[in-house]
Amino acid sequence: MKILSLFSLGFCIAFVACNTTTTKKNVEFNSDDKAQWITDESELPKSDSLFYLDYPAPLFRKDFTTDKPVEKATLIITAAGYYKATLNGEPVGKNELDPAWTDFSTRIYFSEYDVTSQLNTGENCLGVKIGNGFYNPLPLRKWGRRNLRTDLAKVGKPTFIAKLHIEYTNGKTEEIISDTSWKYAYGPMLKNDAYLGVAYDARRDIAGWDKAGFKDSKWKPALIGEAPGGELQKAVSPGVQTTKRITPVDISSPEKGIYVVDMGVNFTGTYRIKLAGNMGDTITFRFGERIYDDGKLNPMTTVIGQIKRKGVGGPGAPEIAWQTDSYIIGSEKAAWFQPEFTYHTYRYMEVSGLKAKPELSDIEGLFFHSNVENKNSFSCSSELLNSIQEITERTFKANLISVQSDCPAREKFGYGGDLNATSESFIYNFDMQGFYRKTIYDWLDAMRDSMFVDTAPFAGVKYCGISWESAYLLTQYYVYLYYYDTELVKELYQKNIAWMDKVAYLHPDGLVDKGLGDHESMIRVPVQLTGTCHYLQCARIMETFAKEMNDKANEEKYRQLAEKLKGIVKAEFWDIPVTFKINKQTLFSALLYHDIIPENEMEAARDSLEQAIKNGPSGHFSTGIFGTKYALEALSANVSPEAVFDIVNSTEYPGWGFMIDNGATTVWETWEESDNTFSNCHPMFGTVTEWFYRWLGGIRPMPEAPGFKKFVLAPSTPEELDFVNCSYQSPYGEIISNWKKEENGTCVFKMTIPEGTTAQVSVLKNLSQEIISIKKNDKEIRDKLSVSKARNILLEEGKYEITVSE
């Protein structure tokens, strides 16, 4: 198995040597740097139960002087754990929860900040506080068994490294580095955990600690910390930032001394709250996605790792691991509290310990997530569809906290199955190129030579099989297809070949017989179907990548493998009647989606799928994590987009409209409503947004022309829909696909095709329709094209208005 050892090589970046006498374009950490990892003197607890005691987060400070005019000042900084940096008492940058979660033993991302405007002439102070993050997690036994302290590749005591590079106008440079000349003391944050929350004692506040002139004679010199071991690399993914401030809609009091704040929507982030009371009073906060009928908080759908009774979570763990913060009132009569180094998923916040009911203006929800660009848009005449799009976008953002999670409270893990199901959906809504590059590297670091893992970063879970780990390859393909990122293909090509060899070793006959199938399908689906289809998808991807690399031998090898796997799936699930119980919606959708059915048997497959949908509850989907994506696409492409619209635009159970009708503000983990077990904020069924863009907007990439050099514009116009406005930011510019039905029976399509691209346009719904006008940049061109009955028209860059009549 020597070929598999490629994974152990990891991925590294060569660093440019630092020039300390001349101005340089980029500031990096270099092998000859004197900057050091520094920390405090505390030691990690000797036993698991002791981790739950108070361990105040350390504050670090460094005074320095600038006595010459400054041209530019750049701070680069990262931590094993989380950090927050200030310069002269003001926050540096807007990022929260930095750095991004990675395998700290392999790679650690640093952020770069231009702090020129924050620098004083004369005395200055750099301040840094550090928290635990995913480097020093609590030993919580999720589900009674998964302990991140043993599951993660590297854990340890929080430490940080920093370098402030100052360029003076006279051409000289100076660097302020992290070393033992820094001083530290312990601050007011007694506990901090990414899952459970924080405990803050305002009596321990140290006023002005991060400003010049502060007397730190009693502070201790920083200690050299243990380097986590990972390569220091500049962040490739957008940082986590607050993008929306949410005002509560209501505050109720279900019992004396308890106040329940309704934020109006479910989201991920934190909050600001104005607190008042007597010194020493403790205010406690709990969070949940729901409330009970009596108005009390229901935190159970966000309980960490299903730890819901004594003994499950391990020694010292809470009996119920709900999201909780606490604040002890200090000397100030009124103060604003905003917790750091944690994040919660909630609509409702329970507050206890206050003397009086807070005002709405005293509380603000802070919605934060990896700040991916959000230039794409979809809206239409159906308010229900608009609401589905809204809750889907919110769910997606809530699950982007440096990894794409399946649920942002209970687990926070980057599961590959959810990524495989929804990565295209995320791409249709946001610019995901940088984020997914980071994700792919996470998978590279997480994978093992002779087994499949389920999450990246690796968190100990390893039972789902190829349909989860293949996210490593499928995500690469979607980054290639939508952004034409060939650099990534070339960089990882040999590792991809090694990964395919591993799959062949684990499944030598081709049929995938181990792992998880169509998770959360209402009827079981065997892994032999979905897993083998994912293997087939990987073979086709590698055939494409080999062609991109001009590797003829491997191109043929993977073509033959794809044909073999296609034949296996066809023989197992199509050629002979399936007599065992299976979700036939997923069965026929998967066969059609993955192009298994011969052309001369397509009519039978289409009929089978249509009948399977009709037999579903309310004639709706009963599919799971993969089957839903397949069904949306296969039913639209092979039966009718109208049939999908009728399902999506319904409030009957099961469906997205049912969720909306029952108060959902984020997408549920299951079709059935859950008030205890399943998350109410889960992206898995958010694949419906992909259908909005692909079928109602009609914007689709072409595999033979990746990156939208050439693409499809084929909008669908369901009977009950009056208009659609849809835009997508391609690598060449914005694609616009809007249409509106007029009172005279015509439908007007307004399209923008970016410069340097060509679109294959299809606007005719049936044979009774014809194109009566095509205008390009307000000039009629239909007669030149002679396309009144053409199903497909090739149009080059420009703005078009196409009118279709019955």
Side-chain angles (χ1 to χ4, degrees):
M1 295 301 294
K2 286 185 178 179
I3 194 162
L4 298 180
S5 65
L6 283 165
F7 292 119
S8 64
L9 296 177
F11 173 79
C12 67
I13 288 180
F15 296 99
V16 180
C18 176
N19 186 326
T20 58
T21 58
T22 60
T23 301
K24 56 181 199 158
K25 293 182 180 179
N26 297 309
V27 181
E28 304 272 0
F29 287 111
N30 305 290
S31 57
D32 59 350
D33 259 342
K34 294 182 180 179
Q36 296 174 294
W37 290 91
I38 60 174
T39 189
D40 63 296
E41 67 181 355
S42 67
E43 296 183 358
L44 292 175
K46 301 298 184 184
S47 62
D48 283 355
S49 63
L50 299 180
F51 276 90
Y52 297 90
L53 301 178
D54 292 350
Y55 287 93
L59 310 175
F60 296 83
R61 66 186 313 275
K62 170 67 175 179
D63 287 321
F64 63 97
T65 302
T66 56
D67 56 2
K68 297 181 287 291
V70 173
E71 179 72 25
K72 187 177 182 182
T74 304
L75 176 68
I76 57 172
I77 182 171
T78 192
Y82 288 143
Y83 73 87
K84 290 287 281 189
T86 60
L87 181 53
N88 296 321
E90 296 298 321
V92 171
K94 298 179 179 179
N95 287 359
E96 305 284 348
L97 306 179
D98 243 12
W101 182 16
T102 58
D103 175 348
F104 292 100
S105 68
T106 304
R107 77 186 74 235
I108 305 169
Y109 292 115
F110 65 85
S111 294
E112 178 182 319
Y113 302 98
D114 184 342
V115 294
T116 311
S117 63
Q118 292 179 250
L119 210 59
N120 294 331
T121 300
E123 298 298 318
N124 293 272
C125 179
L126 258 176
V128 176
K129 63 182 80 169
I130 55 175
N132 295 316
F134 287 89
Y135 188 66
N136 189 34
L138 291 172
L140 277 172
R141 269 54 160 194
K142 298 176 182 64
W143 311 282
R145 60 187 184 278
R146 290 264 64 94
N147 177 2
L148 286 182
R149 295 206 67 81
T150 55
D151 287 337
L152 294 180
K154 178 70 174 178
V155 296
K157 193 172 74 169
T159 178
F160 80 96
I161 187 169
K163 179 166 65 176
L164 175 62
H165 182 82
I166 304 172
E167 301 173 13
Y168 294 103
T169 56
N170 64 4
K172 300 294 185 180
T173 65
E174 180 183 7
E175 289 182 344
I176 308 300
I177 58 172
S178 51
D179 58 18
T180 54
S181 68
W182 287 57
K183 288 191 165 185
Y184 79 91
Y186 295 107
M189 191 181 299
L190 305 180
K191 300 177 182 180
N192 69 94
D193 180 65
Y195 287 95
L196 293 183
V198 305
Y200 191 98
D201 187 347
R203 296 172 301 183
R204 296 167 56 96
D205 279 340
I206 305 173
W209 70 272
D210 55 354
K211 295 181 179 179
F214 176 81
K215 304 300 182 184
D216 62 5
S217 57
K218 294 184 179 180
W219 287 42
K220 297 182 178 180
L223 304 180
I224 303 302
E226 178 188 350
E231 291 280 357
L232 290 168
Q233 302 173 9
K234 188 173 180 179
V236 296
S237 180
V240 174
Q241 296 182 350
T242 299
T243 63
K244 189 171 185 180
R245 296 176 178 269
I246 300 171
T247 302
V249 296
D250 185 52
I251 301 175
S252 60
S253 182
E255 62 179 286
K256 186 177 180 181
I258 301 291
Y259 302 101
V260 175
V261 182
D262 181 0
M263 303 305 298
V265 294
N266 200 30
F267 67 100
T268 295
T270 185
Y271 57 93
R272 291 178 69 245
I273 184 168
K274 189 176 182 180
L275 299 173
N278 299 321
M279 183 182 291
D281 288 352
T282 299
I283 316 299
T284 303
F285 308 87
R286 292 194 308 151
F287 306 86
E289 299 177 309
R290 308 175 67 89
I291 53 173
Y292 292 113
D293 291 341
D294 61 3
K296 294 180 181 178
L297 180 76
N298 176 359
M300 303 308 285
T301 62
T302 62
V303 166
I304 313 307
Q306 302 291 9
I307 299 170
K308 296 179 177 178
R309 57 183 174 83
K310 187 176 181 179
V312 173
E319 291 186 14
I320 302 178
W322 41 44
Q323 306 172 102
T324 309
D325 294 332
S326 65
Y327 181 91
I328 300 175
I329 301 290
S331 58
E332 292 188 42
K333 293 183 178 179
W336 285 91
F337 172 50
Q338 178 180 328
E340 297 174 319
F341 304 147
T342 192
Y343 59 105
H344 303 301
T345 301
Y346 68 105
R347 173 175 174 172
Y348 299 96
M349 177 170 69
E350 177 195 271
V351 186
S352 60
L354 289 175
K355 303 297 185 186
K357 180 179 178 179
E359 300 292 331
L360 290 175
S361 58
D362 292 339
I363 304 169
E364 187 175 49
L366 304 177
F367 186 8
F368 59 55
H369 53 85
S370 297
N371 196 7
V372 290
E373 279 195 346
N374 187 12
K375 293 182 178 179
N376 306 337
S377 64
F378 171 85
S379 63
C380 66
S381 60
S382 166
E383 286 306 312
L384 178 58
L385 265 59
N386 291 340
S387 295
I388 294 170
Q389 173 65 17
E390 180 185 343
I391 72 166
T392 302
E393 279 192 44
R394 185 178 297 119
T395 305
F396 284 1
K397 290 177 182 177
N399 280 279
L400 291 179
I401 306 293
S402 82
V403 302
Q404 183 176 312
S405 58
D406 71 319
C407 54
R410 189 182 67 212
E411 296 181 54
K412 305 182 190 283
F413 296 162
Y415 279 101
D418 300 79
L419 188 61
N420 278 344
T422 62
S423 53
E424 281 191 280
S425 302
F426 274 82
I427 289 170
Y428 269 114
N429 283 277
F430 316 110
D431 179 357
M432 297 296 294
Q433 186 175 12
F435 187 96
Y436 280 158
R437 268 182 163 259
K438 187 263 182 188
T439 300
I440 292 161
Y441 295 148
D442 284 344
W443 279 100
L444 190 66
D445 298 343
M447 293 186 297
R448 304 299 191 258
D449 282 357
S450 58
M451 59 178 286
F452 292 128
V453 301
D454 298 355
T455 70
F458 179 60
V461 191
K462 48 188 177 183
Y463 73 95
C464 296
I466 190 174
S467 290
W468 268 249
E469 189 170 293
S470 60
Y472 163 70
L473 194 57
L474 266 67
T475 308
Q476 282 183 63
Y477 175 70
Y478 290 131
V479 171
Y480 167 83
L481 176 64
Y482 284 86
Y483 305 109
Y484 197 36
D485 192 336
T486 57
E487 182 182 315
L488 198 60
V489 175
K490 294 173 183 176
E491 176 188 316
L492 300 178
Y493 184 61
Q494 293 301 322
K495 298 181 190 301
N496 295 342
I497 291 173
W499 186 82
M500 289 295 289
D501 288 344
K502 181 177 80 168
V503 179
Y505 168 76
L506 293 173
H507 296 295
D509 299 326
L511 184 72
V512 173
D513 56 355
K514 294 182 179 65
L516 191 58
D518 196 22
H519 177 57
E520 289 305 320
S521 168
M522 295 173 72
I523 303 170
R524 183 182 173 275
V525 175
V527 71
Q528 284 83 349
L529 174 64
T530 51
T532 311
C533 282
H534 278 119
Y535 191 6
L536 168 61
Q537 206 170 355
C538 290
R540 288 171 172 166
I541 289 169
M542 285 304 294
E543 181 185 354
T544 298
F545 286 177
K547 186 175 182 179
E548 184 71 40
M549 296 293 293
N550 198 29
D551 183 352
K552 300 293 185 184
N554 275 316
E555 184 181 350
E556 178 60 21
K557 172 186 173 180
Y558 293 121
R559 187 196 67 77
Q560 291 182 10
L561 175 61
E563 284 301 311
K564 173 188 173 181
L565 295 172
K566 178 179 176 179
I568 289 173
V569 175
K570 180 174 177 289
E572 291 284 330
F573 294 98
W574 178 252
D575 289 346
I576 56 176
V578 176
T579 56
F580 53 87
K581 191 173 183 180
I582 186 174
N583 189 325
K584 292 188 176 180
Q585 292 185 4
T586 298
L587 170 62
F588 298 120
S589 295
L591 294 175
L592 288 165
Y593 183 91
H594 291 285
D595 192 26
I596 305 295
I597 310 298
E599 185 61 36
N600 62 347
E601 299 177 55
M602 285 293 289
E603 185 175 352
R606 285 191 290 263
D607 291 344
S608 297
L609 174 59
E610 194 169 12
Q611 190 59 51
I613 301 296
K614 287 179 180 177
N615 291 340
S618 306
H620 286 189
F621 299 140
S622 59
T623 45
I625 187 171
F626 307 121
T628 303
K629 176 184 174 72
Y630 300 160
L632 287 162
E633 186 71 15
L635 190 62
S636 296
N638 296 282
V639 179
S640 166
E642 192 94 33
V644 175
F645 176 81
D646 291 342
I647 294 170
V648 177
N649 197 43
S650 167
T651 57
E652 294 296 313
Y653 169 82
W656 298 272
F658 177 80
M659 298 182 194
I660 297 285
D661 207 38
N662 284 270
T665 59
T666 45
V667 179
W668 298 342
E669 184 178 0
T670 60
W671 293 118
E672 189 174 358
E673 188 173 12
S674 174
D675 66 353
N676 184 286
T677 304
F678 298 101
S679 170
N680 284 193
C681 184
H682 202 286
M684 187 172 69
F685 290 130
T687 45
V688 66
T689 187
E690 181 183 333
W691 182 80
F692 291 161
Y693 281 90
R694 285 180 63 86
W695 288 94
L696 296 184
I699 302 172
R700 300 170 216 157
M702 282 186 172
E704 62 271 25
F708 288 87
K709 177 67 175 175
K710 185 177 179 182
F711 60 94
V712 172
L713 267 178
S716 305
T717 57
E719 195 69 32
E720 294 184 31
L721 208 57
D722 295 326
F723 70 84
V724 159
N725 293 320
C726 187
S727 69
Y728 176 79
Q729 193 72 27
S730 80
Y732 290 91
E734 186 179 40
I735 300 169
I736 295 177
S737 178
N738 299 339
W739 58 262
K740 184 178 181 180
K741 295 174 182 176
E742 304 289 351
E743 292 182 0
N744 61 6
T746 62
C747 186
V748 178
F749 297 83
K750 293 186 177 182
M751 299 173 169
T752 298
I753 300 170
E755 183 178 352
T757 68
T758 304
Q760 178 180 295
V761 177
S762 176
V763 292
L764 297 180
K765 187 176 179 181
N766 52 55
L767 294 176
S768 67
Q769 291 183 319
E770 66 175 356
I771 298 171
I772 61 174
S773 173
I774 300 181
K775 294 180 180 179
K776 179 180 181 181
N777 301 331
D778 296 325
K779 293 182 179 180
E780 180 65 45
I781 63 169
R782 184 186 68 84
D783 291 339
K784 296 178 183 178
L785 296 174
S786 301
V787 293
S788 63
K789 290 292 184 180
R791 305 297 295 175
N792 294 302
I793 314 164
L794 286 180
L795 296 178
E796 296 180 346
E797 62 191 66
K799 294 184 178 181
Y800 293 87
E801 182 178 299
I802 305 174
T803 304
V804 173
S805 177
E806 290 290 341

